[in-house]
Structures are given as structure tokens and as C-alpha cells.
Amino acid sequence: MPAPKVWVTGLTVGAIAVVAALTVQADRGAHPSAAADARPSASASAKAHATARPTASAAPAAVPDGSGTGRRIVYSLGDKRVWLIDASDAPRRTFAVWPGTVSPAPGSYTVGVRTRGVITGSDGVKIEHIVYFAVQSGVNIAFSNAVDGSSPPPASGAQTGGIRMRTADGAALWTFGSAGTRVTVVE
């Protein structure tokens, strides 16, 4: 049976454009100290997870040298940080992340599959805003945020490829990282 054709209406395209414009405005309007004050919410289930949270710096970290040019997501393995860079090479947002136990090799990747809804991650935590971009040693590597704001548990022998972030950062990366967006991983 042939695959069904999908038609995108002008209304759908217009709605997507409005959401994108509002996201850019929200990113520009956020006060620099707002990110430093944001904290994941605590919950009973978070006790089973690591309590160390990514630290927010007073001044945004500089985009790593050698991360390319143009619109892209930059992920620094050493800094445990992500940058969302617009087409004019201006960083729109940067934030700390909690990496999984399996990291992607440094290099250039492309966002592929995305899952917006809530699923259970490989560590048993409910996650959302999943943006897949690599496979390393047979493990899918993806950005996501835990619904309850918790971080992944410490390594317990399981191979996990989730790169977790705070909920607001997960939503921003989801909006920015559409299918085909370049992801640059640096040391």
C-alpha cells in the first residue's frame, strides 16, 4: 500500500512561524540572571537520582573555538554545556547539562528523530523533548529533560546516552533543534 501523503496547510505553517517567533522573543527577553535562579523542582522520585545540579555561571561561557559557523547546537563534553547558535553566529542560549554514561565522539552530527511526548528513558526516568542526533557504541545519544527536573542517576553499569538539562532548557532546545539542525560536539 502506498504511503499516505501529508499536506501542510497555510494555517499550520503560520502557527509554526508564530511559535518560532515567540520562542526567539522569549530567549531575547530573558534576564541573564534568570537562568542562574532556575532550579529543577524536587520530587519524591528525585531522591533516587543524583542530586548534583549543573551550575549556572554569572557570565555566559564563550562558544568553544572550532565549533563551526552558522546555525547549530554546540555540545562541549569537557564543559558539560550546550549552546544554541543562530545563523549569524550569535549564541541565543547556553546552559549546563548532565551527560549520560556514553558520550558521542567529537564531530559534526545532524538532528534526526525527535520525540516531544513523555517516554521512559533508559535510566527509568520519565523524559520529554527528546532530540536524537548520534549513535555511539550502539547507544542512541539524545538531548532531553526529565519531567520531574531530576538528573540521571550515577553510572551503575548501564549504558545511557541521554544528555539531560533543566526543563526550560529542554523546551528551548526542542524548539531550536528541528530535524536537520547541525550538532557540533567538541572536547
Side-chain angles (χ1 to χ4, degrees), residues 16-186:
I16 292 169
V18 168
V19 169
L22 290 174
T23 301
V24 170
Q25 286 177 350
D27 282 347
R28 288 182 183 162
H31 189 275
S33 66
D37 295 334
R39 296 282 185 258
S41 61
S43 71
S45 66
K47 291 179 183 175
H49 307 295
T51 56
R53 291 187 170 94
T55 57
S57 60
V63 178
D65 290 336
S67 68
T69 60
R71 189 176 188 283
R72 66 200 182 280
I73 298 168
V74 176
Y75 172 42
S76 170
L77 299 168
D79 291 334
K80 298 178 184 173
R81 178 167 288 279
V82 167
W83 290 261
L84 306 180
I85 311 296
D86 71 15
S88 68
D89 281 329
R92 287 293 165 208
R93 187 180 189 112
T94 184
F95 46 89
V97 296
W98 299 287
T101 60
V102 177
S103 296
S108 185
Y109 302 88
T110 303
V111 170
V113 176
R114 298 173 355 124
T115 304
R116 183 179 200 138
V118 177
I119 64 168
T120 300
S122 57
D123 57 1
V125 174
K126 298 285 186 192
I127 58 174
E128 63 185 349
H129 299 124
I130 305 103
V131 177
Y132 296 92
F133 67 94
V135 175
Q136 185 72 32
S137 302
V139 176
N140 289 315
I141 308 292
F143 298 111
S144 65
N145 65 270
V147 174
D148 68 1
S150 65
S151 67
S156 62
Q159 291 191 331
T160 59
I163 302 163
R164 299 285 168 74
M165 57 207 63
R166 291 184 176 99
T167 304
D169 296 329
L173 190 139
W174 168 265
T175 301
F176 185 87
S178 56
T181 300
R182 189 166 32 107
V183 178
T184 303
V185 177
V186 297

